[in-house]
Every structure is written in structure tokens, then in C-alpha cells.
Amino acid sequence: MAKVHVTTSINGEPMEFLCEPSDTMLDALRGPLALTGSKEGCASGDCGACSITIDDRLVCSCLMLAVESEGHEIRTIEGLAQGDRLHPLQQKFLEMAALQCGICTSGMLVASDALLKKNPDPTEEEVRFWLAGNLCRCTGYDKIVRAVMETAAEMRAQ
Amino acid sequence: MNLVTNNKWIGQRTIRPDGMDKVTGRAQFAADTTMPGMIWGKVLRSPHPHARIRSIDTSKAEKLPGVKAVVTSKDIVDFPIEKGAVMLGIQDMRWMCRNVMARDKALFPGHPIAAVAATTEAIAAEACALIEVDYEVLPWSIKIDDAIKPDAPILHEFNKFDGKPSNIVGRLEHKKGDIEQGFKQADTVIERTFTTRPVHQGYIEPHACLISVAPDGKTTIWSSSQGQFMVRAMTAYLTGIPQSDIRAIPAEIGGGFGGKTIVYLEPLATLLAKKSGRPVKMVMTREEVMRATGPTSGSKSTVKIGATKDGKIVAAHGTFYLQAGAFPGSPIRGAAGCSFTPYDIPNLLSEGFDVCSNRSKVAAYRAPGAPIGAYAVECVLDEVAEALKMDPLDFRLKNAAKEGTKAAHGPVFPRIGYIETVEAAKASPHYAAPLGDGNGKLRGRGVASGFWFNAGGESSAQVNITEDGNVVVTTGHPDIGGSRAGIANICAELLGIDYRRVSVIIGDTQTVGFSNLTGGSRVLFASSMVVTQSTEKIIQTLRERAAKIWEIDPEAVKWENGAAHPVSPNAGQFEPLTLEELAEKAPAMGGPIGAGVQLNTQGADGGFGTHICDVEVDVDLGIARVIRYTAVQDVGRAIHPGYVEGQLQGGVAQGIGWALNEEYIYTKEGKVDNPGFLDYRMPVCSDLPMIDCIMVEIPNPKHPQGVKGVGEVPLVPVMAAVANAIYNALGKRFYALPMSPPKVLEKLDEPVQQAAE
């Protein structure tokens, strides 16, 4: 059982790791890469708690093989803030109580960031459909949707 | 009552102390924790709903390279049934020891049979497959009707009901007046039977733990739970390790809603760690969570309500049969005790029946039992109001419980806020708004009310002033929805300092006094009481210290805006001494400043809510959508309004799921057929509208900040409010949940079918 050597980029940093051919990207992130911000809620792509981007495309890291990251740009929740400066979405989630237990929060933020990059002025309906792949059982989504809309408005104003 | 007024922090939407870690992905949940030398545990589970275990052969598994330990029920402390109940909170250890590992019989598909620890998760899973179990497969039942048939397969032969072995394992009743006499006075009597299906709490974080047992027995548990003290005690009971040797450290918890108030993995991982000499990590898959952890009960309820033509309820009778799953303990108290409680009914009989059947043992789920009871009661109330041609809110107002009303479950109410919730709902813009045009879809509006007991109980806090004059508060209950933010607000308010100077920590079992579970809507009520008393002790110390420095009487010193001041010019002219200055002088002035309080907190007032729901039904597809929702609740006092609203909105979302889509579906072999998030349809973002909240604040006079529990009431009225709205839209009433598209279409087709017959 030989492990596979993978060379990739994670949150802008060159990175190498070893994994089983069958390991998911989520296994690699949470295991050898020690980036546990991405969470496993279902392992079937239904909860979105493990959301990351690969070359700016939003994916569930539980549905992607770790070896598929070879030569690509991976971004995770750990790369959202710039040093000690939070991303505006992170700041707004805090200010507007858009998290309760926090287990879905990483995935929600990564997915929301991907949305705003694609569509800086989403309607409420667009936010709701974009985030439909990210389950939250605590908040009822109300405050999350409001935080995303408000962040979008502030980012547009800047 | 000594309410703080002109608040600086209480009532403010401050940023929660644990928020930064959670938005940056740094927060440590149980599955995020690792340890040097750690190995992995996996559970072998029963494929059968009901089977006698003749033998278990683990020899092949033990020989597999990489396997470090195997445990079966022989390794778990037995609590013999005939020796009587061994209660830990509401859990009986006789059932708990059999639930964590099947003893003589497997009672549901997913029931643990054995557990293995190995160097990798894959080897542990492979070893599980090598364990040979000789089962004698037995007949089984899942539905209540099947489980209470005279010839039903009996799960527990020791249990007798009416003198015969039975799956009815408990009954309780609440009684008031004489229902027969009451119904004689009624002009309108309506009786209906309702069923609900089991639904899961659906927390996004699966159960997980990491456990280290040193050769001397000293045990450290990192796990996700609603109570580290519960984890410590149950693990101690089931493994035989003394509680004093177990340190249970609360990881951040990724949702619970009652489902993490019991243990599943911890005793198994502890025994595997002890046997192997290695730290053991166990994480459930989503499928294991769905199959083997506690959903709440499915139910069958019959409710009969009689009212006079002027709109006064004169009698009511409720019979609530709830599924307990494999072991006794369904929430009949919540169903029978809460569902009629918003009303002043002179003649009442409310009965609950606890029924075992071959599905996983139920666990608490947000106001356990109360939403099931309220669904039945609030739907019948709607029918009675309609029969009497009364507005449903007016009908509720006319019969509302208030100060002095004796509730059927015992208490005579103090000042409560139920009427205020109905009045606020009636006065809301939502209730006044027209339903609007559905563009081909049918629209309807429904209302419903709900009650939950709320709870106090044991709580401990320690408040320490740091050498630089800041504050560390340690309490003993996991923060599941923002309680740290409320505690920081209160402590900062009392000390008169910026809330950012207060750090709030959830202590582990060996560093803070006993604190009961996060559950029952008790945490902010209880923890803010002990934090308040601890902070008051500190303020007393600070006044004494200032008095000593100024050489005046402590009574002549007041604490204000974060500093000691002379009470008046007569006390002497002194510059204020701030918290920082007093902290700096502490070594010379009596030593460290800190205070702790342990209490069995009392005086939790019940919580009431009234909800308004608008739906739109697509009659071609059978899809009912909630298009507008308003939750009104008496929250006592909103210490952090953002997180109070969050509780209301989250509870409503769960209720909408329960009403419209969520259910356990079983195969004909008795196995759960939808054990994942794809087929177990929890509401996603695009299923829901914004959820409006109206917080009515009637402060609890028995709490220093007026706090009432808020977390559970929001789920109680939802299914009835949705059902009443769908009735309003379609003119057809549903007597079973969920009201999912196939069921809606079936209902819409009813007259056609009848015509065809």
C-alpha cells in the first residue's frame, strides 16, 4: 500500500503531502495537513461543512480525492482572513450573530465568499439558492442570509 | 427584584467571546482533536431490529495486524434489571449500559455489538467485519400500533402493563376537575387522532471523542456533549473508573438540541483505551448518527376538546402515545404536561404512554415531547375556534392561562407572559397583512401557541480578577448557542467595565464545580445566577479593599463604572480606585481576588410563545412552502438579543422541517431507509423565508436579570401553526406529519378517489 505524493498549493502556500489514493481532500486537510477548519458533517456532499475552493471553484472537499489537488490552488477557511485582518464576511458573521454552534460556519463562509466573488450583488433568493448546499441546524439561516447581503452591500460601497 | 437598568451591556448585541475562533476555523470540536500515539475505534452494529445474541466470537478480529483492543458487553459494567433503577439525571443506568452495547439482545438495527480499536480507521472497520455473531432473529415492531398489539413481540419481558408483558413501559397522567362533567357542559366537542413520525435532532457535527487512559486509570476525555459532567458520570458508571479519575474536557459542540445529553461512544472508547494502553479516537459517520443515536419519538395522540358557544373551553382530554425506542424513557412528560398548559381549562385529563419498539432509544429533542403534544392540541383548538366562528387568537385569549391559573402539571402560575404573546401576535404587522395573491398557488395562514417548563438546577461558576485587572469567568456548561456572550454581558454590566475585558471559559470537570447539562433551556438562567452572585462577592471584596486603603468603612464605598468611589463627600474625598488599580495592589492588600458560587438554582419560569405562519401550496406538485413566519415569545429578558432571536429562528426552522419533510422512513426489514442528509430532508436555506421575531420581555422576578429560558419554546408551536396554515389554504386538515409532497397530493386527490369508488 504505497502512499501518493501530492504537490499542491493551499491558501497561497506551496504544500506537499502523502495520502492514500482513496483519501478525500477532506481527509488530507484534516489529517496530514492539520487544517481542521473544514468539518465533516456527512461525507456525502450534502451538508457543505467541508466546503473549499479549488482554483476558485466551490467544492465539497469530502467529494474530491486528495490526489486531485495536484498542481491546483486550494483555499480553505484558514485562508479567508489576511493575517490578523478578518474577511468582511467573517466580521459581519460576528457582528450579526450569524453563527450559533459554529460547526457549519467554516463552510458557510467559504461558500459565501465564492458567491460574492462571482456575484457581488446577489438578491436574497440568489443567496438562499447558492447556500442551499450548506446545512445549518441552529440559526434558521435568517442571520446568515442577512450577513451575506450586508457584507455584499458594504464591499460594493468600498 | 433588583434589575439593572440603564444597561451598558445587558441587551446589547456584543460579539461573542468564542466567535473569532469559530469564523476562522480554529475552534476545537471533538473530531478536531488528536494525541500522540492515538488509535481509532469503530463499532460493530446489529443488522437486525430484534435478535437474541447467542454468542460473539472476536478471535479473528483480535488477530488482525493493527488491532489493539476489542470490547463487548462483558467489558461494560452491568446494572441488573431486577436490582432496580440506578438513575443519573433522567437516565437509568440499567438501560444506558444496554444501549451503549447490546447485552443479551440486539434491539434495533445499529445497536452496538462490539467495538474495536486499531492503528487506522480502516483496519478497525475491517476487524469489525471479522467478528462473528450468532443471532437468533426475533419478530419486531416499530410503529406504536404494532408495538401495543396484544401479540406484539415484547422487547423487555420483565416489563408488565395491566399484569401482562407489554411494550407499554410507563404511564403518567395530569388531572384537574372532572372531564365527564366538563364535556357535558360543552356545546361543541371535537376529538381527533394525530400521528407524527420520528425525527432526528440533526446536529451537523456527528458524535466524536478522544480518550486517554493512563496505566494508573487517570482518564482524560475530549468529547462533544451537552454536559461534561454527564459524560464523566456516565463513563464512570459504565466503566467502573471513579469519577475523580476522569477529567472530561468539553470540546466545542457542533449542535445538540438535546441529542447530546447522553453518551454513546465515550464508555466504549474509554474501555478500548484502557485495554490497548493507547489514546482512542472515535467519530461516528452520519449514517451511524441517523441509525443509532436518539431521534425523538414518533407518536399517536388523541385530543378531545369541549367548549361552550361563548368560546370557553370547559373540558379537554389528551392521550399521548410516544415511541421510546429500544429502552424506556420517551418524553411523555413534555407531551402530557405542556400541551394544554397555555390554557385555563377547569376539567382536564392528560395522559402519556411510553412505548418501546425496535428503533434506537430516543434522546431529548428541544422541549422533548411538547411539540408532539402541541401539534395535536393546537390543531384541535383551531377546529374548535372555527366551529365557534371565533378568531383563533381571540379564542386563545379567552382561554389563556395567567397569574393564578393552576396548571394541570402542578404549579399555580406566577406572573407569566402568555397573554402578552397572543396580544403581540394579534397586533403584529404580520397578522394584519393580507395573504396576497399566490399566483396560482393557494395561500393560508395559521397560528399556534406553545409552552415549555424551563429549568434551573445545578450550576457552578468561578470569577477571577487577573493581575492586570481583567476578568476570567469559568462556568460548567457547554456553550451551544452563544451563552458565553450573555455571561460576558452580565459580568461586564455588574462590574461596570467593557465587556471585552471579560473572558468566558467553559471549565472541565476537574476545574469547576458540578454543573448540570446544557438542556431544558436552563443554561443562561442558571449560569448567570451563579455568575451574578460570584461577581457580587468580588464587588464586595473590591469595596473592602478600597475601604482599607482609604481607611474608611466598607459601607462608605460604592462600586460604580468599574471603580470604587466614596458613597458621598461625607465619607471622605478620595480619587476613585479602578479595577486595574485594585488588582495591581492585590498582593499587598489581601491577595488574589476571586469568588466562586455553586447553587441548585431555583425559580425558572415557564416559557410561552405564539406563532403565525403563512404557507403557499402548489397543488400540482403538492409542495407546501412557508412564505412568512413570525415567532412571538416571552423571553423574560433578552440578555443578548441576537442570540435570543437565533434561538427563535432556529427552533422555527426545525419545526418547519418536522412539519413538512423530515421523517424516519423504514424498510420492510425494519431498517432506517434514509440515514443521510440527502434523503432525510432537513430544511436548506432556499426552503425558508426570513423568520421574524417579536420578543416580549416580562422579566422573571426570581432571577437577578429577569432571565427566562428561551431555547425550547420556539419549536413547540411550529408544526401546528404550519398545519393550521395548510388547512386554511386547502380546506383540508392533516392528521399526520410530515405534510410532504406525496402526502399533500394524496390529500388533494381524496375527493377524486371517492368519486372513482
Side-chain angles (χ1 to χ4, degrees):
Chain A
M1 230 180 1
K3 291 202 172 191
V4 183
H5 177 258
V6 179
T7 306
T8 182
S9 154
I10 302 198
N11 299 324
E13 303 287 342
M15 205 70 77
E16 291 174 75
F17 63 91
L18 292 176
C19 68
E20 299 291 340
S22 60
D23 281 352
T24 66
M25 191 66 216
L26 181 60
D27 293 332
L29 287 170
R30 295 180 54 82
L33 294 164
L35 294 168
T36 56
S38 305
K39 306 299 179 190
E40 178 170 316
C42 67
S44 57
D46 296 311
C47 77
C50 66
S51 297
I52 60 166
T53 59
I54 169 162
D55 300 338
D56 290 332
R57 192 162 58 88
L58 182 66
V59 294
C60 286
S61 59
C62 73
L63 293 186
M64 174 192 158
L65 290 173
V67 293
E68 291 180 283
S69 68
E70 174 75 38
H72 293 281
E73 286 271 344
I74 300 289
R75 289 203 174 263
T76 71
I77 182 64
E78 286 89 350
L80 199 59
Q82 296 298 312
D84 64 355
R85 210 176 75 248
L86 290 183
H87 186 281
L89 277 164
Q90 292 171 309
Q91 186 60 35
K92 202 53 75 181
F93 268 52
L94 288 177
E95 285 168 10
M96 296 181 69
L99 66 151
Q100 270 158 233
C101 80
I103 197 83
C104 74
T105 308
S106 304
M108 284 285 180
L109 285 165
V110 170
S112 303
D113 179 44
L115 167 66
L116 297 189
K117 279 187 178 134
K118 220 178 154 77
N119 179 0
D121 189 10
T123 63
E124 183 194 329
E125 196 176 7
E126 285 168 337
V127 173
R128 286 190 179 276
F129 275 89
W130 183 270
L131 294 180
N134 291 76
L135 285 174
C136 169
R137 193 61 158 172
C138 292
T139 63
Y141 305 105
D142 188 301
K143 292 191 188 317
I144 293 172
V145 175
R146 287 178 202 276
V148 174
M149 304 279 295
E150 196 145 316
T151 309
E154 277 184 18
M155 287 174 74
R156 287 195 306 276
Q158 277 165 16
Chain B
M1 183 170 36
N2 215 348
L3 280 178
V4 179
T5 49
N6 302 321
N7 304 309
K8 195 149 184 236
W9 301 114
I10 290 178
Q12 295 300 310
R13 295 170 190 257
T14 52
I15 288 176
R16 57 194 287 167
D18 54 319
M20 195 66 82
D21 274 351
K22 286 179 178 165
V23 298
T24 54
R26 268 172 252 220
Q28 285 255 310
F29 292 85
D32 303 335
T33 314
T34 52
M35 239 194 136
M38 184 185 94
I39 58 174
W40 291 84
K42 281 303 254 188
V43 176
L44 172 71
R45 297 175 183 276
S46 167
H48 306 295
H50 199 183
R52 196 167 303 286
I53 300 167
R54 291 202 194 99
S55 66
I56 304 175
D57 181 356
T58 60
S59 54
K60 282 184 193 152
E62 279 161 34
K63 285 184 201 125
L64 187 71
V67 169
K68 299 294 171 192
V70 180
V71 299
T72 65
S73 64
K74 286 190 208 116
D75 301 288
I76 311 251
V77 176
D78 188 13
F79 291 86
I81 289 160
E82 59 279 7
K83 286 196 176 166
V86 180
M87 300 307 290
L88 207 159
I90 59 164
Q91 302 295 347
D92 186 337
M93 287 300 111
R94 294 179 303 170
W95 318 143
M96 203 52 64
C97 76
R98 285 163 175 75
N99 193 48
V100 298
M101 196 72 100
R103 201 154 274 278
D104 48 349
K105 287 206 294 184
L107 294 165
F108 61 93
H111 201 163
I113 304 294
V116 178
T119 48
T120 71
E121 223 177 340
I123 294 172
E126 197 185 336
C128 282
L130 292 174
I131 295 173
E132 287 164 9
V133 187
D134 183 12
Y135 292 107
E136 177 195 345
V137 177
L138 302 170
W140 48 270
S141 58
I142 289 172
K143 286 186 184 159
I144 286 171
D145 281 343
D146 296 336
I148 62 177
K149 273 184 192 156
D151 60 345
I154 301 298
L155 275 74
H156 305 292
E157 286 293 337
F158 65 85
N159 178 67
K160 304 276 192 298
F161 191 80
D162 284 343
K164 290 192 286 286
S166 171
N167 289 324
I168 300 178
V169 289
R171 178 184 179 276
L172 69 74
E173 67 169 38
H174 296 300
K175 206 172 170 181
K176 199 178 154 186
D178 178 339
I179 55 164
E180 278 180 33
Q181 286 301 320
F183 280 117
K184 279 184 193 156
Q185 297 160 29
D187 298 307
T188 299
V189 176
I190 290 177
E191 179 174 0
R192 301 285 183 232
T193 295
F194 299 82
T195 58
T196 69
R197 307 274 289 170
V199 292
H200 199 272
Q201 294 83 349
Y203 31 83
I204 309 298
E205 180 203 34
H207 299 259
C209 65
L210 169 62
I211 298 179
S212 151
V213 183
D216 64 355
K218 293 281 188 290
T219 300
T220 311
I221 301 176
W222 292 264
S223 80
S224 166
S225 82
Q226 288 174 247
Q228 62 275 38
F229 290 89
M230 174 277 299
V231 168
R232 180 177 74 173
M234 286 193 189
T235 305
Y237 271 84
L238 300 179
T239 61
I241 298 171
Q243 287 193 39
S244 53
D245 277 356
I246 301 176
R247 181 177 181 196
I249 300 174
E252 290 301 331
I253 171 173
F257 315 106
K260 290 177 183 166
T261 55
I262 63 175
V263 292
Y264 298 101
L265 299 176
E266 289 88 340
L268 308 182
T270 301
L271 290 167
L272 289 169
K274 195 168 178 232
K275 269 196 167 178
S276 66
R278 303 270 291 266
V280 173
K281 181 166 174 171
M282 294 180 87
V283 182
M284 280 194 198
T285 63
R286 178 55 48 182
E287 186 174 335
E288 286 179 294
V289 171
M290 295 300 283
R291 289 198 195 286
T293 68
T296 192
S297 307
S299 67
K300 183 176 181 175
S301 311
T302 301
V303 166
K304 181 177 173 186
I305 292 175
T308 54
K309 52 181 179 288
D310 64 342
K312 191 79 194 88
I313 300 172
V314 283
H317 182 197
T319 314
F320 306 97
Y321 283 85
L322 267 62
Q323 286 171 320
F327 297 99
S330 70
I332 48 178
R333 185 173 156 264
C338 289
S339 43
F340 292 106
T341 304
Y343 309 104
D344 184 2
I345 303 174
N347 305 294
L348 178 75
L349 175 61
S350 189
E351 302 170 88
F353 293 89
D354 190 14
V355 182
C356 278
S357 64
N358 297 103
R359 42 179 297 249
S360 56
K361 174 180 161 50
V362 298
Y365 180 24
R366 217 163 186 154
I372 291 170
Y375 164 57
V377 168
E378 296 288 319
C379 284
V380 176
L381 277 178
D382 210 52
E383 287 199 59
V384 177
E386 192 192 20
L388 295 171
K389 298 188 172 55
M390 281 181 79
D391 172 271
L393 291 180
D394 287 335
F395 183 56
R396 284 171 172 78
L397 276 179
K398 181 140 197 163
N399 293 288
K402 51 187 174 295
E403 188 169 358
T405 301
K406 184 169 171 23
H409 66 276
V412 174
F413 281 128
R415 170 91 169 86
I416 55 171
Y418 175 54
I419 287 177
E420 287 81 352
T421 68
V422 186
E423 284 172 342
K426 236 190 129 188
S428 69
H430 184 168
Y431 206 61
L435 266 169
D437 178 22
N439 203 8
K441 293 170 189 156
L442 299 178
R443 288 188 172 184
R445 177 170 294 157
V447 300
S449 295
F451 165 80
W452 174 248
F453 306 114
N454 289 338
E458 302 95 329
S459 191
S460 301
Q462 176 69 34
V463 180
N464 290 322
I465 307 300
T466 58
E467 293 100 298
D468 60 357
N470 292 313
V471 187
V472 179
V473 181
T474 309
T475 69
H477 341 76
D479 174 1
I480 199 162
S483 54
R484 276 177 282 217
I487 291 167
N489 280 2
I490 287 170
C491 191
E493 189 76 55
L494 296 171
L495 282 170
I497 60 172
D498 190 292
Y499 87 99
R500 281 163 286 239
R501 289 174 56 191
V502 182
S503 165
V504 185
I505 302 297
I506 314 300
D508 67 59
T509 52
Q510 316 310 76
T511 57
V512 66
F514 179 78
S515 302
N516 216 324
L517 290 163
T518 292
S521 291
R522 60 177 295 275
V523 165
L524 197 64
F525 171 85
S527 59
S528 62
M529 211 179 246
V530 286
V531 168
T532 297
Q533 293 192 11
S534 305
T535 309
E536 282 168 349
K537 283 188 183 179
I538 283 178
I539 291 171
Q540 178 61 23
T541 304
L542 293 167
R543 287 170 58 219
E544 284 165 7
R545 299 268 170 105
K548 211 182 239 178
I549 292 165
W550 293 335
E551 297 178 334
I552 63 174
D553 190 85
E555 294 307 309
V557 180
K558 65 177 175 184
W559 187 262
E560 211 170 67
N561 293 326
H565 303 259
V567 282
S568 68
N570 298 341
Q573 294 279 0
F574 304 104
E575 283 302 303
L577 277 165
T578 63
L579 183 58
E580 294 94 314
E581 287 163 337
L582 287 165
E584 196 188 306
K585 293 178 199 297
M589 299 300 301
I593 306 168
V597 166
Q598 295 85 32
L599 268 187
N600 192 0
T601 64
Q602 305 291 322
D605 273 357
F608 293 90
T610 298
H611 292 189
I612 312 167
C613 172
D614 291 358
V615 295
E616 189 171 89
V617 186
D618 183 325
V619 291
D620 297 320
L621 299 175
I623 297 170
R625 254 187 92 79
V626 174
I627 52 170
R628 186 170 183 179
Y629 204 101
T630 301
V632 188
Q633 188 170 319
D634 169 22
V635 302
R637 195 112 181 280
I639 303 298
H640 190 301
Y643 290 107
V644 174
E645 288 164 358
Q647 292 295 319
L648 268 57
Q649 291 163 336
V652 169
Q654 287 183 318
I656 291 173
W658 195 342
L660 295 179
N661 288 297
E662 291 181 38
E663 64 177 316
Y664 268 52
I665 297 167
Y666 289 90
T667 63
K668 61 181 190 307
E669 292 81 28
K671 273 181 102 162
V672 179
D673 203 18
N674 57 339
F677 281 143
L678 183 63
D679 298 318
Y680 181 86
R681 250 307 251 119
M682 276 165 33
V684 302
C685 200
S686 53
D687 291 329
L688 298 174
M690 294 294 188
I691 297 161
D692 294 326
C693 302
I694 300 175
M695 295 182 282
V696 174
E697 295 187 80
I698 313 286
N700 176 355
K702 288 170 285 206
H703 189 276
Q705 278 82 32
V707 170
K708 283 177 186 167
V710 297
E712 280 159 299
V713 177
L715 178 55
V716 182
V718 186
M719 287 99 77
V722 177
N724 290 341
I726 291 180
Y727 169 74
N728 187 240
L730 300 180
K732 288 170 187 291
R733 193 166 279 284
F734 284 79
Y735 296 103
L737 296 181
M739 297 171 282
S740 54
K743 314 262 178 61
V744 171
L745 288 177
E746 206 175 289
K747 188 66 118 180
L748 287 164
D749 286 346
E750 266 175 7
V752 181
Q753 274 176 359
Q754 277 164 10
E757 282 161 13

